[in-house]
Each structure stands twice: as structure tokens, then as C-alpha cells.
Amino acid sequence: MKKILVSALLYIIAFVAHAQQKPQYTQYVFNNYLLNPAVSGIENYTDFKAGYRSQWTGLDGAPVTSYLTVNAPIGSNFVNGDATGMPAAGGVNPYSRLYAQEYRAAEPHHGIGLMIVSDKAGPISQTNLDATYAYHLGITDKLNLSVGVMAGVNRISLNTSLITLETALDPAIANGNLSQWKPDLGVGVWAYSGNYFVGASVQQLLKQNLYFSGTNTVTQSTTVPHYFFTAGYKIYLTDEVTLLPSVLVKIVNPVPASYDLNLKAAFGDRLWIGGAYRHNDSFSALAGVNVNSVINVGYSYDFTTSNLRTVSNGSHEIIISILFNNRYKVICPQHSF
């Protein structure tokens, strides 16, 4: 095989070889739905989110991720009843100690959702389109358990105009399928109460061959499952000030396991700030505001600590959340913390 431009080859290896093939998110606490389909319908309103992440800014061809997600509960006892332990029009502040003390498990209900995730790095682009379903059940007076599934398709494509080749007929891509559609499947489980959550999920369950050549003897690779384990616990400093430490562990064979540590401080139901650490990669600063019962906004900036810090200006991530059919006029999420 003739030489391919080094940078292009690195991008191909990074995204289609046995390595992490899913985007990473600094504000995972703000949208755990991206990682776990069991979160579908966890809130008592329709939750729409739009997110954008520019990773390693300043590095040509660095990953850029954007997404749209929406999920909602189904079930008259939950949607129309006092299923979350909150009186109509808001009532008890979900950040207050009183809310956690009086919290009761939600009525059994279903949740559905849809997510579209686009991830681009150099000449490689991936788009995931998945529908989700979850069933939520109160297993004790204060503890809920939900199980969920996601299913859809993944499109991966190679933009050859961004690659400089020794020869136009390089067998790595010549006469190949440069735009491929593959089935996608994932499952998850989520346990939650008024002041904590624990979840586990796996994405890319279906092993798929990925190669761009006309024959499967060149640049062949496969997708691998991605395992996510998350947990968080709300600590009350006062009735209006809370801390939420959380952790996300990612396992993608055969690369070493990685983890994110996150600490979020919330002030009433309006403002929050936080910090995060990603193992061998970055430190992050986070902030957000719950504008009203319709709009929430979150922003984070990653300070790169890996070897890429010499060419990277860090990573930006912003999320905008819109709360539709929010009949309780909740300003801050009750279960997404």
C-alpha cells in the first residue's frame, strides 16, 4: 500500500480501529440520556436538548460533536399525577433537603426518546440516529429502577477530498464504500431516588466491520462495545446550596479503562458551577443557569493536560435544554440534577 498522509492515517486509526469510537462529553451529568437509554422519560416533562462540543480547538481536523436529543414520559398516572412528589406549580425546591426527605418513588411509567449525534474528526464523519425506550418502576417507597434499550443506525463516511495520497488509486480507499450504514443497539439500567443515581449501560452491542477499501483486506477494523458506569450523590450544605459529586467510568476494550470525576455546586434552583477531571486528558470548568421553567443552559471548558496541550487550545462544550409541557413549572431538573 502506498503512503497515506500521516495525519489522515492517524484519524482513520483513531476512529475505526479498536479504540474509543464514541464521542466524549464533559457535561454528562447534564444529559445522561446520551449514555444510557434507561434515562428516557425520567422527568415529568418533555426534555429537549441541543449540544455542541469543539474538542482540542486550534488543532486542524480536531473532533467536533453536535447532537439533538428529546425524551418524554408516557403514562397518565405519572404525567398527570403527582408522581414525582412535587405539588403543582413547583412547590418544594428539588435542590432543597425537604424535597429529598419527602421524595417518593415515581408511578410506573414508560419513557421514549430520540437522539441524533454527529461526530466529525478530520476526514471521518459519523452520525448516529437512535430511538429509545425505558420502563420505570418504583421498587421501594423512595427508589426507582428503570431499564432501557436504544436501537437505530450509524452512518460512517470518509471524505477523500481531505486526504492527500501518494496515488489516487491507493488500495486503502480505491473502489471502496466510502459511506456506510450499520445497525446500532444499546441497553442500560438506571436506579435513582431524590438525592442519588447509579447507572450502567453498553453501546455498540452489534459488532460491525468497518473498512473503506474495495476488498476487506485493507484498513479493516470492527466496532467494539462501549461500557459506561455512572453514579452521583447530592450533598446538602444548606437548604439552598448542594454539592453533587459524580463519576463516569468508560471501558472500551482493548484500551485502558478511563474515568471522569465531576463536582457540581448548585445554588437554589438557578445557578450552578463545577469542576471535572478526565483521567490523563484534562481538567474542566463548568457553569450553568436555569433561566426559567422553559430554558436551561450549561457550558464547560476543558484544559488539556495530555501531550496534545502543545497544539490544543482546550475544548468547548455548550448545552441548551428546553422543557416542554412542564406542568409543574420545574426550573431545575429533578432527576438529572
Side-chain angles (χ1 to χ4, degrees):
M1 182 180 73
K2 299 295 185 180
K3 292 174 58 180
I4 300 178
L5 187 67
V6 174
S7 61
L9 180 59
L10 290 177
Y11 284 127
I12 293 174
I13 292 173
F15 280 84
V16 300
H18 290 281
Q20 181 165 325
Q21 300 157 339
K22 289 287 189 178
Q24 60 185 9
Y25 307 99
T26 298
Q27 298 185 69
Y28 64 88
V29 166
F30 200 37
N31 196 5
N32 270 304
Y33 173 68
L34 281 167
L35 305 179
N36 196 322
V39 178
S40 305
I42 198 170
E43 301 288 357
N44 201 314
Y45 51 79
T46 300
D47 187 10
F48 173 87
K49 284 184 171 65
Y52 176 83
R53 178 178 176 84
S54 177
Q55 189 163 313
W56 304 327
T57 56
L59 179 62
D60 189 29
V64 174
T65 304
S66 56
Y67 66 80
L68 297 174
T69 66
V70 59
N71 69 92
I74 299 176
S76 59
N77 289 338
F78 180 78
V79 176
N80 299 319
D82 191 15
T84 59
M86 285 194 61
V92 178
N93 182 346
Y95 278 121
S96 72
R97 184 180 289 107
L98 182 59
Y99 169 76
Q101 291 174 343
E102 296 187 352
Y103 175 83
R104 66 177 181 272
E107 293 287 339
H109 67 282
H110 309 273
I112 58 173
L114 179 69
M115 66 176 71
I116 304 174
V117 181
S118 174
D119 189 49
K120 181 180 179 181
I124 302 290
S125 297
Q126 293 192 82
T127 301
N128 278 80
L129 175 61
D130 289 283
T132 65
Y133 167 80
Y135 182 71
H136 299 252
L137 180 68
I139 57 177
T140 73
D141 290 344
K142 295 182 178 294
L143 179 63
N144 305 274
L145 181 68
S146 65
V147 293
V149 62
M150 60 186 292
V153 292
N154 171 52
R155 178 179 180 267
I156 182 169
S157 59
L158 175 65
N159 186 349
T160 56
S161 67
L162 299 178
I163 301 177
T164 302
L165 303 173
E166 185 81 8
T167 171
L169 297 178
D170 194 305
I173 60 175
N175 301 318
N177 182 3
L178 303 182
S179 181
Q180 308 171 26
W181 290 89
K182 305 288 185 179
D184 192 30
L185 181 66
V187 296
V189 61
W190 195 262
Y192 60 98
S193 188
N195 59 346
Y196 66 88
F197 64 85
V198 178
S201 64
V202 56
Q203 297 183 356
Q204 278 190 179
L205 268 174
L206 301 177
K207 183 178 180 180
Q208 301 291 335
N209 290 326
L210 296 175
Y211 48 85
F212 296 113
S213 63
T215 63
N216 61 5
T217 59
V218 182
T219 68
Q220 182 172 350
S221 63
T222 60
T223 61
V224 293
H226 287 46
Y227 298 89
F228 302 97
F229 302 92
T230 50
Y233 187 84
K234 187 185 294 185
I235 301 171
Y236 295 88
L237 301 182
T238 71
D239 282 344
E240 295 295 320
V241 181
T242 63
L243 294 179
L244 178 68
S246 63
V247 61
L248 165 64
V249 178
K250 295 171 283 187
I251 299 177
V252 184
N253 187 49
V255 300
S258 64
Y259 61 86
D260 292 31
L261 301 176
N262 188 300
L263 181 63
K264 172 183 173 182
F267 305 93
D269 53 4
R270 289 291 184 180
L271 301 173
W272 60 267
I273 59 174
Y277 168 72
R278 180 173 296 119
H279 180 55
N280 290 335
D281 184 72
S282 64
F283 287 95
S284 306
L286 305 88
V289 57
N290 303 321
V291 179
N292 50 39
S293 61
V294 178
I295 299 176
N296 298 338
V297 180
Y299 170 80
S300 64
Y301 179 80
D302 298 355
F303 301 87
T304 305
T305 59
S306 67
N307 292 334
L308 287 173
R309 66 183 180 275
T310 59
V311 293
S312 167
N313 297 326
S315 304
H316 301 270
E317 184 175 313
I318 186 168
I319 302 177
I320 299 176
S321 177
I322 301 178
L323 288 56
F324 292 105
N325 194 30
N326 185 8
R327 69 184 300 268
Y328 291 101
K329 305 300 180 184
V330 175
I331 295 177
C332 58
Q334 299 173 51
H335 301 300
S336 302
F337 301 99

